[in-house]
Amino acid sequence: MKTQQILNRLLINRLKKNHVKSDQGFSLIELLIVVLMIGILSAIAAPGWQAFTTGQRIKSVNNQVSQAIKTAQAEAKRNKSDYVLQFDPDKDPPKYSIYKKDTPDAEKQWQSLSLDGAIKENMVKIYSQADGTKNNEIPFKSDGTVDVDGDKIKLEDTGKNTDGFSVVVYPKDSPNSRNCIIVQTILGATRTAEGTDAKGCPEPK
């Protein structure tokens, strides 16, 4: 009986030792392989992720431009006065201002298209034009309609992407990846576009 108890204890001790050995963890080579695999996967995924985040930022800025156009139009109607939405593409990040017509430059209040710091310097560029001509202002009459200065500016959708006012946002050094808002009617109706095809965003003039 005692012999059996001793054998049982030896067997239990041996099982415990084997269990401890089996739970000792990864070897150095295994860890190196895992680290190498993570590095390779990160290198593959990083460019795609960066392109995705850049695209999302561009679309967010484009949405902010669209909201600025609506705000300028609403202010003109509310105050029954002529208003102007002006862009300053020379600032980095770009800025815009909504003000009553004939407001002195010193009294214009500028807001940055930085998305509360999400857009840093050298990340996005902007340009705006009207009927293919550089024009950083979109004027609205007191009734909220776009001031086209007679027949000087055509605001009809003819399939030419330079018709009407357009505000184009694109990543720095990548003008083909552009998004834009196009004001294409006197009533201020807008459409969004992207890319460089016939219905896409116009090229800078």
Side-chain angles (χ1 to χ4, degrees), residues 23-54:
D23 290 340
Q24 285 180 348
F26 297 105
S27 68
L28 181 60
I29 294 177
E30 290 172 329
L31 288 174
L32 288 174
I33 292 173
V34 171
V35 171
L36 182 62
M37 290 176 64
I38 292 174
I40 293 172
L41 292 175
S42 299
I44 294 172
W49 175 252
Q50 185 175 3
F52 172 77
T53 54
T54 299

Side-chain angles (χ1 to χ4, degrees), residues 5 18 56-57 63 105-106 108 163 166 170 172 180 182:
Q5 289 177 348
N18 289 338
Q56 291 300 109
R57 289 190 182 112
N63 290 338
D105 288 342
K108 296 176 183 177
D163 282 354
S166 59
Y170 63 96
K172 185 193 176 188
C180 62
I182 298 175

Side-chain angles (χ1 to χ4, degrees), residues 84-190:
V84 177
L85 168 60
Q86 182 179 354
F87 295 93
D88 188 348
D90 295 328
K91 300 296 183 182
D92 196 1
K95 293 186 176 183
Y96 71 94
S97 179
I98 298 173
Y99 55 86
K100 191 177 292 187
K101 188 177 180 180
D102 298 326
T103 297
D105 288 342
E107 297 180 15
K108 296 176 183 177
Q109 297 182 351
W110 293 90
Q111 300 182 58
S112 177
L113 294 168
S114 63
L115 299 178
D116 296 326
I119 304 298
K120 309 294 183 184
E121 289 186 4
N122 297 318
M123 288 183 68
V124 301
K125 296 292 183 182
I126 188 172
Y127 60 86
S128 55
Q129 58 194 37
D131 197 28
T133 304
K134 182 178 180 182
N135 190 327
N136 290 324
E137 298 179 357
I138 303 178
F140 291 93
K141 294 182 180 180
S142 58
D143 59 359
T145 59
V146 179
D147 187 353
V148 297
D149 191 17
D151 294 329
K152 184 177 179 181
I153 298 172
K154 299 176 183 177
L155 288 175
E156 54 184 303
D157 188 6
T158 62
K160 298 179 181 178
N161 58 17
T162 55
D163 282 354
F165 290 91
S166 59
V167 184
V168 186
V169 182
Y170 63 96
K172 185 193 176 188
D173 301 326
S174 183
N176 290 335
S177 301
R178 50 188 183 258
N179 278 251
C180 62
I181 299 291
I182 298 175
V183 183
Q184 61 182 21
T185 69
I186 293 176
L187 295 178
T190 62

